[in-house]
Amino acid sequence: VKARTPRPVLDDPVRSDSRGSERSAEAIISTVLRVIVRLGGTTGVDGIGIASAGLVNGSTGTVVRATNLVGFDQPVPLLELVRRRLEDAPDGLRLALGNDVNALARAEAARGALEGESDALVVALGTGVGGALLLDGRIRMGPRGFAGELGHVVVHPGGRPCGCGGHGHLEAYVGRAALELEARRRHRDGRSTLLVELAGDRRISSSVWDRALGAGDAVALDLRLEAATAVAVAVGQASTLLDLPLVVIGGGFAPVLGQPFRTEVERQLSDIGGAGAPLLRSAALGDRAGAIGAALLVAR
Amino acid sequence: VKARTPRPVLDDPVRSDSRGSERSAEAIISTVLRVIVRLGGTTGVDGIGIASAGLVNGSTGTVVRATNLVGFDQPVPLLELVRRRLEDAPDGLRLALGNDVNALARAEAARGALEGESDALVVALGTGVGGALLLDGRIRMGPRGFAGELGHVVVHPGGRPCGCGGHGHLEAYVGRAALELEARRRHRDGRSTLLVELAGDRRISSSVWDRALGAGDAVALDLRLEAATAVAVAVGQASTLLDLPLVVIGGGFAPVLGQPFRTEVERQLSDIGGAGAPLLRSAALGDRAGAIGAALLVAR
């Protein structure tokens, strides 16, 4: 990606939505390199920006931990590993690493749903749940670069186990992976559901979700309602604590949950009290927001 | 208070701890004026800073709503009302209004537990529960000035009613007023407790709390444990979302809950996951932090 003209050509291959869970760190690095080659290599390129799910330390170029990516349960010095395998890279090639939802927010702020805004929460619904904060016109990074980990805030103390080992986290109620686990658990417990009956042993795809929700499947509707409650709690907490008048919802799973989900979140937020409910808005840039934001990390 | 040499002489008369609930807006304004007179009036004074509980709009000088102060359930243009009654005020006298816990945080940042820190959450436990955020070295105000309303984040969805009309808010589990209501409710339901037996019809004072907790009173211990859980949830949410490595706990009710409360909060935070548990630290400036912070609002 030429830094001066951010031009993402592929969906971010490290997106948590993209079946990353079947890959190891090495496989992901190989994919990054294949993408670089497919985009024409590094000749004439100023920099390469990479956005990854999970806890990211941008200053060291390390993915500290990414629960939803196999091989990323320990720190992975991603930028260094990529740089070593970049042959013929021009002198001074800049590499930058950031969190995927922070990148999404950066892109939406530059040319999307956050353009001209100064204060907002971004919620990205995918395999997991990510967040980003726009505060006083800047993406909040935090002293360790870990700000925005909305997926791992507690929404139900002592509640459902989360993939990270915690309990009651937002991601356990809203992430696509957690909802699949929960649907299968209810099915095993004797509740009939199209989610499992249509998917069989395969992943519960977006189209299976669409069909189950469209048919009024009780388990699917329950899971969507519980997801809306969890999002309303987490969004309400953040907007109350930070005085945030705006929430942007994005990520690949958001359209699957659809308008009824959003309406329910808005309904539950309406009696939030305090400074009042934040406005909900959909992300504008779609699947490529993360890649655009990654490019912006190295754009001057 | 002379702005150049902040010199608070009385406990902040608008403190939510100070039985403000027996007062009306007019009574509080009269108290503010009595304090000004007792401090020597406005001659030679550069400015007067006032810190109030509740939602405060500093730019208009209005207390938008303060649940724990009678007469403040509607907006009160506090600065204008005070200014009108200041006779012989020097030309150019500056008046400033801020939230009490933001003022406390400002003071602790200038010369207390937050000196030299850049990122922290402040939790103030009193009649209610307040919060303040130090982000990148600055107190977070938010676009409407309402940031820091930690007392009204949801910690138990659908849980105990809060004085503000919401449910499951932190303040309903930790505020002194809410705990008194809850202790009396349990007593009416047949649970014996020293909290009510010692206090009778009077307020459950700090010394009654001390005696009940010291005697191992089951209701008092339960309420303290539930308070610690609620604080751990709220603090964990904020530190996960914002990447906050430090939490400062202050307010008049904190010493009453004491070290066992703090140890329990730390225990529950220890398995928070993510970037790890924040460090807990006690506020350093005591009861006058709010007044010092109010003075700093007008100090150049």
Side-chain angles (χ1 to χ4, degrees):
Chain A
V1 176
K2 292 200 182 185
R4 287 198 203 104
T5 54
R7 181 177 51 105
V9 183
L10 292 185
D11 287 351
D12 179 351
V14 199
R15 272 181 68 210
S16 54
D17 265 42
S18 60
R19 299 200 174 235
S21 57
E22 293 164 19
R23 300 175 185 195
S24 65
E26 181 52 39
I28 285 177
I29 291 162
S30 295
T31 303
V32 169
L33 288 156
R34 274 203 307 278
V35 171
I36 292 169
V37 169
R38 207 181 310 171
L39 289 170
T42 55
T43 308
V45 167
D46 294 330
I48 297 170
I50 301 175
S52 169
L55 291 181
V56 171
N57 184 329
S59 57
T60 63
T62 302
V63 179
V64 178
R65 187 168 59 254
T67 308
N68 294 315
L69 299 176
V70 168
F72 286 77
D73 47 350
Q74 295 293 320
V76 175
L78 192 65
L79 282 198
E80 179 55 30
L81 293 172
V82 169
R83 187 182 287 278
R84 269 192 221 157
R85 290 179 42 188
L86 282 175
E87 293 155 14
D88 306 323
D91 286 350
L93 180 77
R94 294 196 306 279
L95 266 65
L97 177 68
N99 169 272
D100 58 347
V101 187
N102 280 345
L104 180 156
R106 202 174 292 277
E108 294 283 352
R111 54 184 71 178
L114 288 170
E115 216 174 329
E117 302 291 346
S118 65
D119 295 88
L121 172 69
V122 175
V123 185
L125 309 179
T127 303
V129 177
L133 290 162
L134 183 71
L135 304 180
D136 294 324
R138 297 178 55 211
I139 305 292
R140 163 81 180 165
M141 300 302 294
R144 296 164 294 197
F146 298 161
E149 276 290 284
L150 189 71
H152 301 285
V153 302
V154 173
V155 292
H156 292 294
R160 277 189 214 160
C162 182
C164 74
H167 284 267
H169 293 182
L170 177 62
E171 182 163 302
Y173 293 84
V174 191
R176 185 195 276 270
L179 290 191
E180 170 146 1
L181 283 176
E182 185 66 17
R184 293 191 183 279
R185 194 187 65 69
R186 294 188 189 186
H187 187 255
R188 277 198 309 277
D189 288 352
R191 287 192 70 184
S192 157
T193 171
L194 286 172
L195 291 171
V196 177
E197 285 146 24
L198 292 172
D201 290 339
R202 283 163 306 154
R203 175 171 174 260
I204 301 177
S205 64
S206 295
S207 70
V208 167
W209 271 102
D210 285 345
R211 288 162 68 191
L213 288 168
D217 181 84
V219 168
L221 292 173
D222 283 356
L223 290 174
R224 182 170 69 184
L225 177 60
E226 291 159 21
T229 300
V231 167
V233 169
V235 161
Q237 285 162 352
S239 81
T240 297
L241 182 63
L242 289 159
D243 186 18
L244 297 177
L246 176 64
V247 176
V248 167
I249 297 188
F253 199 45
V256 178
L257 295 173
Q259 186 59 44
F261 167 80
R262 184 167 150 170
T263 302
E264 179 62 23
V265 172
E266 285 172 334
R267 193 190 67 74
Q268 294 197 28
L269 280 172
S270 64
D271 60 355
I272 190 177
L279 185 71
L280 258 57
R281 189 182 289 172
S282 292
L285 298 178
D287 283 349
R288 293 185 173 179
I292 295 170
L296 291 172
L297 283 175
V298 289
R300 289 193 194 276
Chain B
V1 177
K2 291 199 184 184
R4 287 199 203 104
T5 53
R7 181 177 52 105
V9 184
L10 292 185
D11 288 350
D12 179 351
V14 199
R15 273 180 68 209
S16 54
D17 266 44
S18 60
R19 300 198 172 238
S21 56
E22 293 164 16
R23 300 174 184 195
S24 66
E26 181 52 39
I28 285 177
I29 291 162
S30 295
T31 303
V32 169
L33 288 156
R34 272 202 309 278
V35 170
I36 292 169
V37 169
R38 208 181 310 171
L39 289 170
T42 56
T43 308
V45 166
D46 293 330
I48 297 171
I50 301 176
S52 168
L55 290 181
V56 171
N57 185 330
S59 56
T60 63
T62 302
V63 178
V64 178
R65 187 167 59 254
T67 308
N68 294 315
L69 300 175
V70 169
F72 286 77
D73 48 348
Q74 295 294 319
V76 174
L78 191 65
L79 282 198
E80 179 55 31
L81 294 172
V82 168
R83 187 183 288 278
R84 270 191 221 156
R85 290 179 43 188
L86 282 174
E87 293 155 15
D88 306 322
D91 285 351
L93 180 77
R94 294 196 304 281
L95 266 65
L97 177 69
N99 170 272
D100 58 348
V101 187
N102 280 345
L104 181 156
R106 201 174 292 276
E108 294 283 351
R111 55 184 70 179
L114 288 171
E115 216 174 328
E117 303 291 346
S118 65
D119 295 88
L121 171 68
V122 174
V123 185
L125 309 178
T127 304
V129 177
L133 290 161
L134 182 71
L135 304 180
D136 295 324
R138 298 178 55 213
I139 305 291
R140 163 80 180 166
M141 299 304 293
R144 297 164 293 196
F146 298 160
E149 276 290 284
L150 189 72
H152 301 285
V153 301
V154 173
V155 292
H156 293 294
R160 278 187 213 158
C162 182
C164 74
H167 285 266
H169 292 182
L170 178 63
E171 183 163 300
Y173 293 83
V174 191
R176 185 195 277 270
L179 290 190
E180 170 147 0
L181 282 176
E182 185 66 18
R184 292 191 184 281
R185 195 187 63 71
R186 294 187 189 185
H187 187 256
R188 278 198 309 278
D189 288 351
R191 287 191 69 184
S192 157
T193 172
L194 286 173
L195 291 171
V196 177
E197 285 147 23
L198 292 172
D201 289 339
R202 285 163 305 154
R203 174 171 173 260
I204 301 178
S205 64
S206 294
S207 69
V208 167
W209 271 102
D210 285 346
R211 287 161 69 191
L213 288 168
D217 181 85
V219 167
L221 292 174
D222 283 355
L223 290 174
R224 183 170 67 183
L225 177 61
E226 292 159 21
T229 299
V231 166
V233 169
V235 162
Q237 286 162 351
S239 82
T240 296
L241 182 63
L242 289 160
D243 186 18
L244 297 176
L246 176 64
V247 176
V248 167
I249 298 188
F253 198 46
V256 178
L257 295 172
Q259 185 59 44
F261 167 80
R262 186 167 148 170
T263 303
E264 179 61 23
V265 172
E266 284 173 335
R267 193 190 68 73
Q268 294 196 28
L269 280 172
S270 65
D271 60 354
I272 190 178
L279 184 71
L280 258 58
R281 190 183 288 172
S282 291
L285 298 178
D287 283 349
R288 293 184 173 179
I292 295 170
L296 290 172
L297 284 175
V298 288
R300 287 193 196 277

